[in-house]
Amino acid sequence: MKWLKVISVIVLTAFATPLSAAQAQEGEVDVAEMLFGHIGDSYGWHITDWNGSHITIPLPCIVHSSTGWHVFMSSKVEHGHEYEGLFLAEEGRYEGKIVERVADGSLVRPFDISITKNVASLMITALLLIALVLGTAKWYRKHDAAEEGAPKGFAGLMEMMIMMVNDDLIKPSIGEHCYRKYAPYLLTVFFFIFLSNLLGIVPFFPGGANVTGNIAVTMVLALCTFFAINIFGNRHYWKEILWPDVPVFLKFPIPIMQTIELFGMISKPFSLMVRLFANIMAGHAMILGLVAVIFVTVKLGPVINGSMTVIAMLFGVFMDCLELLVAFIQAYVFTMLSAVFIGLSRQEEHTTKTT
């Protein structure tokens, strides 16, 4: 079983927060700390442990405190160090965040726009998405698809996915009369979420960040759809919200239906935000929980630990394969619901012709 233990240590150290080799071997693993350490954000990008040392990529910290702006690398405040009056809080409401101590001894958070692990992963995903789009466009600039036929290889894969999302999802949901206006946004959302989900499954740099499992990221994505719905909604959409076709006593003088419709406006982006966040976060937590079982059962003896190691590794591989499917499904569902909501805001009023 020795080789299984080696593999599990590699997987755990790749996904989890820093753990010492002694802790891993003795089973002294804080599962909660490991789970929330991976799911949460951080100022540095932990790679692995080597000979008791933490190998971490420091990231830029940009904060404005009571003494002005400070720009430094995250390594300056790691392991209890203090830099220019700033340090990482070890407990309390600001645990893991950069804080400063004011005159009365209390801790306050400065204005913080640091490049954290999730922000760095967002940038990497954006650059990767730009490279994919430009790489596909490059093929079409050099080839005539009408004469040479459909592209093959990478360009062919991208064309297949783009046509699938555009023709089978966006166009039917919004309608042929105006789907082209929203297609660039919805295609960008689909590929951004899909790439972020895939990178989140990869247990080594530049993967492993919990981007779409961060509710702040999913909230921004949901707000973009919310603005697309309500800014470009037509007159019929707003009429159904402000003065729907119901008996007058349901909308005046007490705006019962208007209140219900306004709650409906808010619930749409809220459902998009929570669905994506919860599914991705739960997937990461389940995989880490399975790996942690290996070390939790170390003290129960070699028979139990060996059997649980095999079971955890098999289920871990199964969950990784399942997460590949979930990565695509969640991107597809978010894009589909966004397209449906946008299509409802563009629905034309039906009129009955009388003869």
Side-chain angles (χ1 to χ4, degrees):
M1 297 296 176
K2 202 170 188 180
W3 63 274
L4 284 173
K5 184 64 69 64
V6 172
I7 295 174
S8 59
V9 170
I10 295 173
V11 173
L12 182 61
T13 54
F15 270 112
T17 52
L19 290 171
S20 68
Q23 285 178 312
Q25 291 176 359
E26 296 175 8
E28 298 177 1
V29 178
D30 189 337
V31 178
E33 180 184 356
M34 184 191 72
L35 292 177
F36 289 106
H38 170 73
I39 292 172
D41 204 357
S42 61
Y43 290 99
W45 200 314
H46 176 252
I47 304 300
T48 187
D49 289 353
W50 186 262
N51 291 331
S53 300
H54 305 317
I55 301 177
T56 303
I57 299 176
L59 298 172
C61 296
I62 308 169
V63 298
H64 184 272
S65 67
S66 59
T67 56
W69 285 99
H70 304 269
V71 181
F72 54 92
M73 301 304 291
S74 61
S75 56
K76 297 286 186 179
V77 293
E78 289 180 349
H79 312 303
H81 294 140
E82 183 175 333
Y83 181 76
E84 297 181 348
L86 302 170
F87 57 94
L88 291 178
E90 297 181 355
E91 58 183 3
R93 60 183 297 193
Y94 300 135
E95 183 180 359
K97 303 297 182 182
I98 293 178
V99 296
E100 65 173 330
R101 195 178 300 278
V102 294
D104 61 0
S106 61
L107 301 180
V108 296
R109 280 200 69 189
F111 179 66
D112 193 344
I113 53 172
S114 302
I115 308 298
T116 61
K117 180 180 179 180
N118 282 345
V119 175
S121 183
L122 282 171
M123 294 178 176
I124 292 172
T125 304
L127 291 174
L128 180 59
L129 182 57
I130 292 172
L132 292 176
V133 173
L134 294 180
T136 305
K138 183 179 179 181
W139 187 94
Y140 283 94
R141 286 197 302 269
K142 293 184 176 181
H143 301 83
D144 187 350
E147 296 181 0
E148 301 182 27
K152 298 179 180 179
F154 167 74
L157 175 64
M158 287 295 295
E159 179 182 320
M160 178 191 70
M161 295 189 68
I162 291 171
M163 296 301 292
M164 175 197 66
V165 176
N166 186 73
D167 293 349
D168 298 339
L169 193 156
I170 300 174
K171 189 174 179 180
S173 299
I174 299 179
E176 295 186 8
H177 59 289
C178 62
Y179 80 95
R180 294 180 184 275
K181 182 189 299 184
Y182 302 97
Y185 162 68
L186 292 171
L187 285 167
T188 302
V189 165
F190 172 81
F191 282 102
F192 174 79
I193 295 175
F194 186 44
L195 287 175
S196 297
N197 292 347
L198 290 180
L199 285 176
I201 302 173
V202 178
F204 49 83
F205 182 82
N210 186 39
V211 174
T212 43
N214 186 315
I215 199 166
V217 175
T218 61
M219 180 184 69
V220 172
L221 292 172
L223 284 175
C224 290
T225 297
F226 176 77
F227 292 137
I229 294 170
N230 294 285
I231 292 177
F232 302 106
N234 59 16
R235 289 182 298 175
H236 177 63
Y237 169 74
W238 285 107
K239 176 183 177 297
E240 288 297 317
I241 292 175
L242 301 177
W243 198 257
D245 294 328
V246 296
V248 176
F249 71 88
L250 291 175
K251 53 189 178 184
F252 183 83
I254 302 176
I256 299 175
M257 291 304 300
Q258 290 91 330
T259 303
I260 294 173
E261 291 292 342
L262 288 174
F263 273 109
M265 289 173 58
I266 299 173
S267 65
K268 290 174 183 176
F270 183 79
S271 65
L272 290 174
M273 174 185 71
V274 173
R275 179 183 288 105
L276 179 59
F277 156 73
N279 279 281
I280 300 304
M281 184 186 68
H284 286 218
M286 288 180 67
I287 293 175
L288 288 169
L290 286 170
V291 176
V293 168
I294 300 170
F295 301 97
V296 172
T297 58
V298 166
K299 293 184 177 180
L300 298 180
V303 175
I304 295 178
N305 181 237
S307 59
M308 292 306 298
T309 297
V310 174
I311 294 172
M313 292 301 296
L314 291 176
F315 272 98
V317 172
F318 171 76
M319 286 300 302
D320 268 332
C321 295
L322 186 61
E323 281 296 295
L324 289 173
L325 180 61
V326 171
F328 175 81
I329 290 176
Q330 290 306 314
Y332 189 90
V333 169
F334 189 99
T335 308
M336 179 187 67
L337 291 177
S338 296
V340 169
F341 295 154
I342 292 172
L344 292 174
S345 72
R346 302 294 303 178
Q347 185 176 359
E348 298 296 335
E349 185 174 8
H350 297 288
T351 59
T352 304
K353 294 183 179 180
T354 58
T355 57

